[in-house]
Amino acid sequence: MPLSRRGRGSRLAGSRAATSSLPRATALSPKSTGRGALSISHAQLLTQRRHSSEQVPPASEPQADFRSGKWLQEPATGDARDSRQALRARMSSKHRICSQEEVQEEVVIPCAYDSDSQSVDLELSNFETIKKGSSSIELTDLDIADIPGLHCEPLSHSPRHLTQQDPLSEAIVEKLIQSIQKVFNGELKGELEKLKFLGNLSSLSQALPYDETAKSFIHSHIADIVHTLNVLVQEERPHSLSSPVRQEVFVTIADLSYQDVHLLFGSEDRAELFSLIIKSIITLPSVRTLTQIQEIMPNGTCNTECLYRQTFQAFSEMLQSLVVKDPHLENLDTIIKLPLRFQRLGHLVALMALLCGDPQEKVAEEAAEGIHSLLHITLRLKYITHDKKNQQSLKRALTKCREFLELYSSAAKCFYSCPFRIAQVFEGFLDSDELCQFIMTTFDTLKNLKHPCIQRSAGELLLTLAKNAESQFEKVPEIMGVICAQLSIISQPRVRQQIINTVSLFISRPKYTDIVLSFLLCHPVPYNRHLAEVWRMLAVELPSTTWILWRLLRKLQKCHNEPAQEKMAYVAVAATDALYEVFLGNRLRAATFRLFPQLLMTLLIQIHHSIGLTMSDVDIPSGLYTEQEVPSEVTPLCFAMQATKTLLLRTCCLQEFNIMEKNKGWALLGGKDHHLQGVFLLANALLERNRLLAQKVMYLLVPLLNRGNDKHKLTSAGFFVELLRSPVAKRLPSIYSVARFKDWLQDGNHLFRILGLRGLYNLVGHQEMREDIKSLLPNIVDSLRETDEKIVLSAIQILLQLVRTMDFTTLAAMMRTLFSLFGDVRSDVHRFSVTLFGAAIKSVKNPDKKSIENQVLDSLVPLLLYSQDENDAVAEESRRVLTICAQFLKWKLPQEVYSKDPWHIKPTEAGTICRFFEKKCKGKINILEQTLMYSKNPKLPIRRSAVLFVGLLSKYVDHNELRRMGTDWIEDDLRDLLCDPEPSLCIIASQTLLLVQMARAKPKPKQRVNWLQKLMGRSSA
């Protein structure tokens, strides 16, 4: 090395002794509390054992080891030249070793400070203030200095004093310049060349105050110097320390800094060099690791531990040189903030806090000592690097910290041994990324199965921090991911509950509710037992239960409001299963009761959407079932059914559940063609057993009936129309009931037409609603022409209630339509149309009877023939209405009409009936023609009765009139029946054909009149 470099050893050593002492909290140190003041701390003793070496014997004055945060022992005086020069002589490039482990540790470089503005202290009180109105908030150094337990030892006020050296001659300066210039033009190939270059550059820096040539050369080649130093640092192995090159780079930069040549700030390339130096220090492994490597791979006489300490001392001196010369630099923030930053502060706090609660006293004591120092450093670090916009929040955090420390000032040892109190103090100073690090580290600790006490402490610590810093978390999905991954390996019930409580805390905060729900819903269904436990064991405060359940419900409802897709959204299935698990756990019972109407209707709609689907019809996110296949027995419908049943049971709807079970209501709900019937059954059961809940559901449905897709609307409408039987339904404005049903009657979907008529039928039961419904009579009458049996029957049921209030025009139109339904193949339609026809006849007022008489006469033959129907109900109803018609016509029917025996087995009775009707209808209707029309009826009893009746009529009708009309058309129809497969009909048809032919052949004989009849005839004349 150049001779001129040797003269500065005392200067470096002297300045190191003067300025490298770190502030250390003494008033509340956990180690000194309760033991009295000691001359040397436990940390110092540990440091001596860890860092002492043959080359550097321990001494009394503490020196900073910025790698471990402890205190090293260094000589207070003397020249560091000999040791460094001896080290350079022993170290060479061939002795380098590469670390076999890549260990990244936290590095904090504390900055010297003092309250005196003339010292090397940072002027913290000069920060900008935040003004609001006439008042201002100013953060000063006192905000930290007066916190109990954080009073620190001030540093020396004296800046670094240089030892007077003889000036370099011009020849030496010129030689140094030439040597350095060669490096700029070439490259450094070996370690000795690198050390020589750095030594020359450092020596040349001594001539800057008095040699203009040296000064001009240095200032004109700063870019070359920065570039070369950058290359030298990059060429050093990042995870090993086997040469003093890195140390000499730091020394050279410090020498130039003392001569006002700043290589680490002022331009982009200098900032890059600064960042590279910081990284080169941070990536170094621990001294223990390097020592172990040296034992495995000896590298000569180099003592790794000694080199390690010297390198960090040189690094510290370099940093101090940046501010000692001028503590008021414009770029002071940049100088401080780059090195003074924990990359993983949250990780470090979590580890230290947990170790403070370690059952081994020695470990806990060391951790307490470390957390004490870490708190002090964190306060200063946050104070220096805080954003001016967040000045007020920092002030609040400092105040909170002061309050906590004052609270525990009388029991400091107790404070530092409690991880939860430590977390409460630190959380105010951790940003969102650091909080996430804290959480992740705590979760990693939960995997420590060998130490249950650490597991318990981690669970409680996690919950404590989540409660106190809930608003600062930003990476909640990542946290939830760790939670879900860790649950499967944690067996302690208490710890599991703490984790679930943490989830509960996040999910109960509106800021995170949707985030947590979305994450939990992105898991395979059915949920495994760990996730199921999370859903079932959610523990939240009462005001938050409704919010959580509502947000979960909204996830499902949004799927129903979207247009129908080819595949069901996976979140719909996942949310349904989640609701089922929540109901089973019954932790949100109050919210379940409160949201019962919404929950019930949403689940019924989900059932409707799930009918006939399998999991292959669900849009499952890719990669969700990577490790397992979807069970074949799992379907969206089974989840919806489970959730609905559990909802009824958890809300004490046991009677409703029983009604559904007894009447196969669950099968109806899940059936493709019977879903609405299941909905009707459940609605009626709820209305019958729990009228209050039913009314709540009805009011909920009023604004929802026109929302969502068709399945959504149909299920809602089905439940709604059944609840209209409730007395409170009459309070609903007609715009929400009658007007809506009118639109449904005109809907293209026949199910909506059915629901519209069903709703009107239920409303008809309320007298107050009938006037509004009467305006829909034309629409209802038109419904009688529908092909759907349910629509026709529903219309008939409504008209039966309104028939007495109809005007004559509507009544007559309805009767004509009903007459066309006589003989309908749908037996119920046939029967009820006859019933309504009879009710209509009875409703005709006297002034209108003459106008409707022909319709009544036309109905006689059909009613008479259908009294012989094979369906007893139809036959009985026909006889009843036939009596009504006779009463309308003021006839008295023969008793034989009411006989239930078929005519073909009692032809005599049939003859009596025939003579009666032939006589009464003569000249009013063509009874023969009407009867013959029914000979082609699809029902055998009707055909047979019609043929028999034609034969009997041919005996009693006027033969002359019969011949005039001709009988060919009658005989043709009868001949067609001779080939009928039914023997009884063939026989009756042949007999009837013979009677018709006989009536055509000879005139009807005159009736003989005895003397009494003649006498009566004369007297009447």
Side-chain angles (χ1 to χ4, degrees):
M1 299 299 294
L3 183 63
S4 59
R5 188 172 176 79
R6 300 176 183 175
R8 58 181 194 89
S10 60
R11 173 177 59 80
L12 293 177
S15 64
R16 185 178 296 122
T19 63
S20 297
S21 178
L22 278 176
R24 184 161 62 94
T26 59
L28 195 60
S29 175
K31 293 298 183 66
S32 60
T33 304
R35 297 199 303 250
L38 300 179
S39 60
I40 186 168
S41 71
H42 177 64
Q44 290 173 333
L45 293 175
L46 291 175
T47 304
Q48 290 177 7
R49 291 196 296 269
R50 292 172 183 167
H51 298 281
S52 61
S53 65
E54 295 178 0
Q55 287 80 355
V56 185
S60 59
E61 187 175 31
Q63 180 67 19
D65 177 2
F66 300 104
R67 192 66 188 164
S68 64
K70 300 288 184 178
W71 303 94
L72 300 176
Q73 304 297 321
E74 272 294 288
T77 59
D79 198 335
R81 174 192 59 193
D82 297 333
S83 62
R84 182 164 58 251
Q85 192 170 10
L87 178 65
R88 289 177 185 152
R90 290 194 297 267
M91 301 296 285
S92 64
S93 59
K94 66 180 179 179
H95 294 141
R96 295 179 185 175
I97 58 174
C98 182
S99 173
Q100 301 300 313
E101 297 180 6
E102 297 184 9
V103 182
Q104 293 188 2
E105 295 186 14
E106 299 295 343
V107 176
V108 179
I109 307 301
C111 181
Y113 63 92
D114 192 78
S115 59
D116 190 347
S117 61
Q118 299 301 320
S119 70
V120 296
D121 177 36
L122 304 179
E123 291 290 333
L124 301 179
S125 61
N126 293 333
F127 278 101
E128 292 183 13
T129 60
I130 301 175
K131 295 183 179 181
K132 294 184 178 180
S134 59
S135 62
S136 64
I137 302 173
E138 182 175 358
L139 220 62
T140 67
D141 199 36
L142 296 176
D143 289 310
I144 294 180
D146 63 354
I147 294 178
L150 294 179
H151 301 293
C152 309
E153 300 172 2
L155 292 176
S156 170
H157 290 224
S158 302
R160 179 174 179 155
H161 297 286
L162 303 179
T163 304
Q164 183 67 33
Q165 301 291 333
D166 294 335
L168 300 178
S169 65
E170 291 184 3
I172 294 176
V173 169
E174 186 64 29
K175 186 179 294 186
L176 292 174
I177 291 175
Q178 292 176 0
S179 177
I180 295 171
Q181 186 68 50
K182 289 181 181 179
V183 174
F184 292 157
N185 298 330
E187 60 177 318
L188 298 171
K189 295 184 179 180
E191 181 179 307
L192 293 178
E193 290 186 9
K194 295 176 182 178
L195 293 175
K196 180 181 178 181
F197 165 74
L198 292 171
N200 292 342
L201 188 59
S202 185
S203 297
L204 186 62
S205 68
Q206 307 304 312
L208 292 179
Y210 53 83
D211 193 299
E212 289 298 326
T213 302
K215 184 175 182 180
S216 175
F217 176 81
I218 291 293
H219 285 284
S220 62
H221 290 82
I222 287 180
D224 295 328
I225 296 172
V226 170
H227 173 73
T228 305
L229 294 180
N230 200 313
V231 172
L232 291 178
V233 175
Q234 287 181 358
E235 288 180 352
E236 289 297 296
R237 296 182 179 180
H239 305 298
S240 67
L241 185 63
S242 57
S243 79
V245 172
R246 187 186 278 108
Q247 170 190 345
E248 290 301 319
V249 170
F250 301 156
V251 173
T252 301
I253 293 175
D255 285 344
L256 288 170
S257 295
Y258 284 116
Q259 303 300 334
D260 291 332
V261 178
H262 302 292
L263 303 180
L264 300 183
F265 62 88
S267 64
E268 185 176 349
D269 57 339
R270 301 182 197 184
E272 289 179 359
L273 176 60
F274 199 1
S275 177
L276 181 63
I277 289 174
I278 297 298
K279 291 178 182 178
S280 72
I281 287 294
I282 290 177
T283 55
L284 286 178
S286 65
V287 65
R288 179 181 302 176
T289 302
L290 291 174
T291 304
Q292 291 174 350
I293 295 175
Q294 185 183 25
E295 292 174 357
I296 298 172
M297 301 174 61
N299 59 345
T301 59
C302 175
N303 187 296
T304 302
E305 184 175 353
C306 180
L307 180 60
Y308 188 89
R309 291 181 54 217
Q310 291 176 348
T311 300
F312 273 92
Q313 289 167 0
F315 178 69
S316 172
E317 189 172 335
M318 179 197 73
L319 292 178
Q320 294 178 28
S321 71
L322 302 178
V323 293
V324 167
K325 186 69 177 177
D326 183 3
H328 303 290
L329 297 172
E330 292 182 359
N331 298 298
L332 189 58
D333 284 347
T334 304
I335 298 173
I336 295 173
K337 288 180 182 179
L338 280 174
L340 293 184
R341 183 171 298 165
F342 285 105
Q343 298 298 319
R344 300 181 67 195
L345 178 59
H347 168 77
L348 188 57
V349 172
L351 284 179
M352 297 293 288
L354 287 170
L355 289 175
C356 285
D358 195 280
Q360 295 187 19
E361 184 178 354
K362 185 176 181 180
V363 175
E365 287 181 356
E366 289 194 38
E369 181 83 12
I371 204 71
H372 177 78
S373 301
L374 182 61
L375 177 58
H376 170 71
I377 295 172
T378 301
L379 287 173
R380 283 290 171 178
L381 176 66
K382 294 295 181 179
Y383 193 50
I384 293 171
T385 61
H386 81 283
D387 188 351
K388 294 178 181 179
K389 295 180 180 178
N390 298 326
Q391 201 162 357
Q392 190 174 7
S393 62
L394 179 60
K395 190 178 181 72
R396 286 196 299 267
L398 290 171
T399 302
K400 183 178 179 182
C401 176
R402 183 184 301 111
E403 291 173 353
F404 269 111
L405 294 179
E406 286 175 350
L407 180 63
Y408 297 107
S409 59
S410 60
K413 186 173 182 180
C414 177
F415 171 77
Y416 283 103
S417 63
C418 181
F420 325 120
R421 294 166 185 161
I422 293 171
Q424 287 177 320
V425 171
F426 272 95
E427 59 89 8
F429 301 102
L430 301 180
D431 58 29
S432 59
D433 289 334
E434 291 163 347
L435 284 171
C436 184
Q437 294 169 9
F438 186 101
I439 294 291
M440 297 302 184
T441 302
T442 307
F443 274 122
D444 286 340
T445 309
L446 291 173
K447 295 185 291 186
N448 196 345
L449 303 179
K450 297 181 180 180
H451 300 283
C453 62
I454 297 295
Q455 269 195 339
R456 289 193 296 271
S457 297
E460 295 175 9
L461 186 61
L462 179 67
L463 190 57
T464 300
L465 187 66
K467 285 181 179 178
N468 295 331
E470 60 187 42
S471 62
Q472 302 179 47
F473 289 103
E474 293 182 359
K475 298 182 179 181
V476 174
E478 290 85 344
I479 295 173
M480 293 305 302
V482 175
I483 288 177
C484 294
Q486 300 294 341
L487 269 177
S488 60
I489 62 175
I490 298 172
S491 58
Q492 292 190 53
R494 181 180 175 185
V495 178
R496 290 179 68 86
Q497 186 57 53
Q498 288 169 344
I499 295 178
I500 294 174
N501 289 345
T502 304
V503 178
S504 303
L505 185 67
F506 280 124
I507 203 173
S508 63
R509 300 304 183 258
K511 180 179 180 180
Y512 305 122
T513 302
D514 286 339
I515 298 174
V516 176
L517 286 176
S518 297
F519 183 86
L520 292 177
L521 294 177
C522 289
H523 286 80
V525 291
Y527 295 115
N528 60 41
R529 66 183 183 89
H530 306 293
L531 273 177
E533 183 182 5
V534 171
W535 287 115
R536 296 181 188 184
M537 301 300 290
L538 285 176
V540 295
E541 298 177 356
L542 186 61
S544 301
T545 57
T546 303
W547 166 253
I548 295 170
L549 199 57
W550 170 246
R551 294 310 303 168
L552 178 58
L553 186 63
R554 284 295 298 155
K555 297 280 186 184
L556 181 55
Q557 289 175 341
K558 287 180 180 179
C559 300
H560 299 159
N561 294 331
E562 296 176 356
Q565 304 291 332
E566 290 185 7
K567 289 192 172 184
M568 176 180 286
Y570 180 78
V571 68
V573 183
T576 305
D577 193 22
L579 286 172
Y580 166 65
E581 298 294 349
V582 169
F583 296 154
L584 279 182
N586 210 25
R587 292 296 186 94
L588 309 183
R589 189 164 184 250
T592 304
F593 274 98
R594 180 174 297 178
L595 296 177
F596 176 82
Q598 294 92 330
L599 289 167
L600 179 62
M601 292 312 307
T602 304
L603 289 174
L604 290 176
I605 292 167
Q606 177 64 16
I607 288 176
H608 198 173
H609 281 85
S610 303
I611 294 174
L613 298 185
T614 64
M615 290 302 289
S616 60
D617 299 311
V618 178
D619 188 12
I620 301 175
S622 59
L624 190 61
Y625 287 88
T626 53
E627 299 180 359
Q628 63 184 37
E629 295 182 357
V630 185
S632 57
E633 67 275 7
V634 172
T635 64
L637 182 60
C638 73
F639 293 122
M641 282 293 187
Q642 285 178 338
T644 307
K645 291 178 181 179
T646 312
L647 174 64
L648 292 179
L649 294 173
R650 285 304 193 192
T651 51
C652 302
C653 296
L654 304 180
Q655 293 290 342
E656 294 84 339
F657 183 89
N658 186 50
I659 291 173
M660 290 293 289
E661 212 166 47
K662 280 188 175 181
N663 295 276
K664 300 181 179 180
W666 302 118
L668 292 174
L669 269 179
K672 184 176 182 181
D673 299 324
H674 307 290
H675 173 72
L676 285 179
Q677 295 180 32
V679 172
F680 296 155
L681 181 62
L682 181 55
N684 281 309
L686 190 66
L687 185 60
E688 178 183 349
R689 300 293 180 178
N690 201 326
R691 192 175 294 271
L692 181 61
L693 275 181
Q695 291 172 2
K696 289 182 178 180
V697 175
M698 183 181 69
Y699 284 124
L700 166 74
L701 290 173
V702 168
L704 300 179
L705 291 176
N706 289 334
R707 297 184 185 176
N709 53 36
D710 282 350
K711 291 183 178 180
H712 182 290
K713 294 177 183 177
L714 283 171
T715 302
S716 301
F719 212 96
F720 176 73
V721 298
E722 286 304 297
L723 297 180
L724 292 177
R725 295 190 298 110
S726 171
V728 299
K730 58 188 177 184
R731 303 176 190 169
L732 291 175
S734 60
I735 190 174
Y736 297 126
S737 55
V738 177
R740 182 166 285 161
F741 296 153
K742 181 180 179 179
D743 295 336
W744 290 358
L745 290 177
Q746 300 170 355
D747 197 280
N749 189 333
H750 75 285
L751 292 176
F752 278 108
R753 298 199 293 275
I754 292 174
L755 292 175
L757 291 169
R758 194 177 183 94
L760 290 172
Y761 175 74
N762 290 330
L763 284 179
V764 164
H766 309 298
Q767 293 292 333
E768 299 85 351
M769 304 296 296
R770 291 195 173 188
E771 284 300 319
D772 294 330
I773 296 174
K774 284 174 63 176
S775 62
L776 300 183
L777 278 174
N779 303 85
I780 299 172
V781 172
D782 288 342
S783 299
L784 295 174
R785 301 186 179 91
E786 290 275 359
T787 57
D788 191 292
E789 181 179 3
K790 293 180 180 178
I791 294 177
V792 178
L793 291 176
S794 298
I796 292 174
Q797 296 298 324
I798 298 171
L799 294 172
L800 281 171
Q801 300 291 325
L802 299 175
V803 67
R804 293 183 179 276
T805 63
M806 290 183 188
D807 60 88
F808 176 73
T809 303
T810 304
L811 193 66
M814 182 188 71
M815 291 178 67
R816 287 192 293 269
T817 304
L818 290 172
F819 184 76
S820 65
L821 296 177
F822 287 5
D824 196 283
V825 294
R826 300 164 294 185
S827 59
D828 287 341
V829 172
H830 182 178
R831 178 164 65 93
F832 285 110
S833 64
V834 171
T835 302
L836 181 57
F837 189 84
I841 294 174
K842 294 174 68 174
S843 302
V844 177
K845 297 178 176 59
N846 288 331
D848 301 319
K849 284 186 176 182
K850 191 64 177 176
S851 302
I852 208 170
E853 183 177 348
N854 288 335
Q855 290 190 42
V856 175
L857 289 171
D858 288 338
S859 67
L860 294 176
V861 172
L863 291 172
L864 181 62
L865 294 176
Y866 283 118
S867 68
Q868 300 297 302
D869 197 279
E870 59 188 355
N871 188 312
D872 292 340
V874 173
E876 184 63 31
E877 192 63 21
S878 299
R879 285 191 288 267
R880 190 185 71 82
V881 175
L882 185 61
T883 303
I884 294 174
C885 293
Q887 291 173 351
F888 179 86
L889 297 171
K890 298 181 180 180
W891 296 352
K892 184 178 181 181
L893 294 175
Q895 196 63 32
E896 288 79 1
V897 171
Y898 303 104
S899 176
K900 296 182 180 180
D901 295 327
W903 288 348
H904 65 277
I905 65 174
K906 290 188 177 181
T908 305
E909 292 181 359
T912 302
I913 297 171
C914 182
R915 277 198 304 270
F916 175 82
F917 277 96
E918 193 278 331
K919 181 179 180 182
K920 290 292 186 179
C921 296
K922 188 174 183 180
K924 298 178 180 178
I925 59 173
N926 189 341
I927 190 173
L928 181 62
E929 183 178 359
Q930 268 192 335
T931 305
L932 189 61
M933 290 174 56
Y934 286 89
S935 64
K936 298 178 181 179
N937 194 279
K939 293 184 177 181
L940 174 62
I942 306 302
R943 293 201 308 272
R944 189 164 52 200
S945 299
V947 173
L948 178 60
F949 205 74
V950 168
L952 293 174
L953 280 174
S954 63
K955 292 173 61 177
Y956 304 113
V957 74
D958 187 352
H959 292 179
N960 293 328
E961 182 67 21
L962 185 61
R963 282 195 301 271
R964 186 181 64 80
M965 291 171 53
T967 60
D968 293 341
W969 55 282
I970 300 175
E971 295 177 14
D972 290 342
D973 288 344
L974 293 174
R975 288 191 183 95
D976 292 339
L977 296 174
L978 295 177
C979 299
D980 196 278
E982 176 55 41
S984 62
L985 181 58
C986 292
I987 294 172
I988 294 174
S990 63
Q991 292 174 349
T992 300
L993 180 60
L994 181 60
L995 290 174
V996 170
Q997 290 173 346
M998 290 175 60
R1000 182 192 61 184
K1002 58 180 181 179
K1004 181 179 180 181
K1006 290 185 179 181
Q1007 187 176 4
R1008 296 180 64 181
V1009 182
N1010 60 26
W1011 64 271
L1012 182 59
Q1013 289 175 330
K1014 290 181 180 180
L1015 181 61
M1016 291 297 293
R1018 289 195 189 104
S1019 60
S1020 59

